[in-house]
Amino acid sequence: MLLLLSAGSVVAQDIHKCVSGKEISYQSEPCAPGQTYVKTWGTEITSSDAYGKVRPARQPAVDPNYLTRQAHRARNGAGPGTVIGPRASSFNSCEEMKRQRDAYLDSEHGRHTGYDGRRAWNDRVYDACK
């Protein structure tokens, strides 16, 4: 019982890293003359900075056109589970996709589209034209 009571009164100490030549020592006393001070670790935690920077949770990528695209697919009879086959010969999906790509890339938003966005448009055209 006496050990349990005395354990609560133990005081933690700072840890000092000192270098003397090629010898590194970690000690509770400050570095002696002739030793080079490197770092001190304190025992009191004063802020969350003591644990390092905490990164904020990563937000999932949001596709702003997702609902519009799904509504368009549903209007055209391409809802979930629908098998998409060749369209009527009067409609050329390849030419239509090329027209949509060019119209978007010529628009104000399209002018600022990076490599990934342009690649996505070209992939859509490729899929429509195969």
Side-chain angles (χ1 to χ4, degrees):
M1 186 68 144
L2 184 60
L3 287 174
L4 291 176
L5 293 175
S6 65
S9 64
V10 174
V11 178
Q13 298 178 348
D14 292 341
I15 299 171
H16 303 276
K17 180 179 181 180
C18 305
V19 176
S20 178
K22 293 183 179 181
E23 188 175 314
I24 299 173
S25 64
Y26 297 91
Q27 54 199 38
S28 59
E29 299 295 322
C31 297
Q35 289 183 323
T36 305
Y37 165 80
V38 178
K39 186 174 183 176
T40 299
W41 291 272
T43 54
E44 287 188 33
I45 298 174
T46 56
S47 71
S48 63
D49 291 339
Y51 292 107
K53 300 282 184 192
V54 176
R55 285 192 232 165
R58 187 173 181 179
Q59 296 296 321
V62 177
D63 181 5
N65 299 322
Y66 176 76
L67 292 177
T68 306
R69 193 169 53 250
Q70 292 303 322
H72 177 71
R73 290 182 71 212
R75 279 193 303 268
N76 291 330
T82 303
V83 176
I84 300 173
R87 295 189 179 188
S89 61
S90 63
F91 181 80
N92 187 344
S93 61
C94 178
E95 293 302 320
E96 177 62 19
M97 188 54 68
K98 286 180 183 178
R99 186 195 64 73
Q100 288 179 12
R101 176 195 59 192
D102 295 340
Y104 177 78
L105 294 177
D106 288 340
S107 71
E108 184 62 33
H109 292 303
R111 288 188 196 111
H112 303 291
T113 301
Y115 175 80
D116 292 334
R118 291 177 185 275
R119 175 68 187 264
W121 273 106
N122 289 331
D123 288 346
R124 290 180 195 147
V125 169
Y126 175 80
D127 289 340
C129 295
K130 32 176 177 177

